[in-house]
Amino acid sequence: MNPTFRPIVLLVTVLLSTGVMAQWQWLDKDGRKVFSDRAPPPSVPDKSILKRPGGARVVAPVANEDGAVSTTPGTPASSAAAAQTASSAPKISGIDKDLAEKKKKAEQEEAAKHKAEEDRVAKLKADNCVRAKQAKAGFDSGVRLSRVNKQGEREILDDATRAAEALRIQTIIDADCK
């Protein structure tokens, strides 16, 4: 290899490796260090970001006596670099507007279904209440009542059966007529 060619190769290698310095470094939810050339997801809090592109160190991890990792503010390379890094960082609100809108719409649809079901049940209870009151009025009138048994024969209700049926009707009234 030509001796004048070596410094050029070395210079090109050094220039190409500067892209490696533009990396993010943060602690994930399990406390492990993550290295990436992309910004961390919005779920990662700012206090967990250890390094941003441009060499500004924002937060340094510190281990406590009990072994837990906590973070304390580090020293930025310079005030201008820190301000420039903070302004160049992507502003992510962490909220997807389309997803929030779809979620709100789904919640409204669910609430409408729930309301329709409650209205249907209330209508059925009101109908049961009216029927039970009519049946109670028939039982309270003292008129002889009869039923058709399994063989298709007509049976007249005796006093015990009449009292049991009146009690059943009263429980329906108590449950549905509120």
Side-chain angles (χ1 to χ4, degrees), residues 33-72:
K33 283 187 179 181
V34 178
F35 300 88
S36 177
D37 60 342
R38 296 185 180 159
S43 61
V44 175
D46 277 344
K47 68 179 185 176
S48 295
I49 298 175
L50 303 175
K51 182 180 171 190
R52 297 174 189 262
R57 182 170 286 268
V58 179
V59 179
V62 177
N64 297 342
E65 304 85 8
D66 57 348
V69 176
S70 66
T71 56
T72 58

Side-chain angles (χ1 to χ4, degrees), residues 59-171:
V59 179
V62 177
N64 297 342
E65 304 85 8
D66 57 348
V69 176
S70 66
T71 56
T72 58
T75 57
S78 70
S79 302
Q84 188 266 343
T85 303
S87 65
S88 67
K91 303 289 184 187
I92 300 175
S93 66
I95 299 174
D96 185 3
K97 291 181 181 179
D98 292 335
L99 180 62
E101 185 178 311
K102 287 179 181 178
K103 184 177 179 182
K104 184 177 178 182
K105 185 177 179 181
E107 288 173 353
Q108 289 174 346
E109 289 175 358
E110 186 67 29
K113 286 180 184 178
H114 186 66
K115 177 71 173 152
E117 182 65 20
E118 285 180 354
D119 291 345
R120 186 183 71 80
V121 169
K123 184 178 177 186
L124 288 174
K125 282 188 173 191
D127 190 38
N128 282 346
C129 178
V130 169
R131 289 182 183 187
K133 284 183 178 181
Q134 288 173 348
K136 178 126 172 83
F139 272 88
D140 291 344
S141 68
V143 177
R144 276 191 183 174
L145 298 174
S146 62
R147 289 190 182 164
V148 177
N149 63 14
K150 292 179 184 178
Q151 290 82 21
E153 300 171 344
R154 194 170 133 188
E155 297 178 332
I156 296 178
L157 299 179
D158 61 350
D159 289 336
T161 308
R162 189 181 187 111
E165 189 64 22
L167 182 61
R168 187 184 71 80
I169 291 171
Q170 187 61 44
T171 57

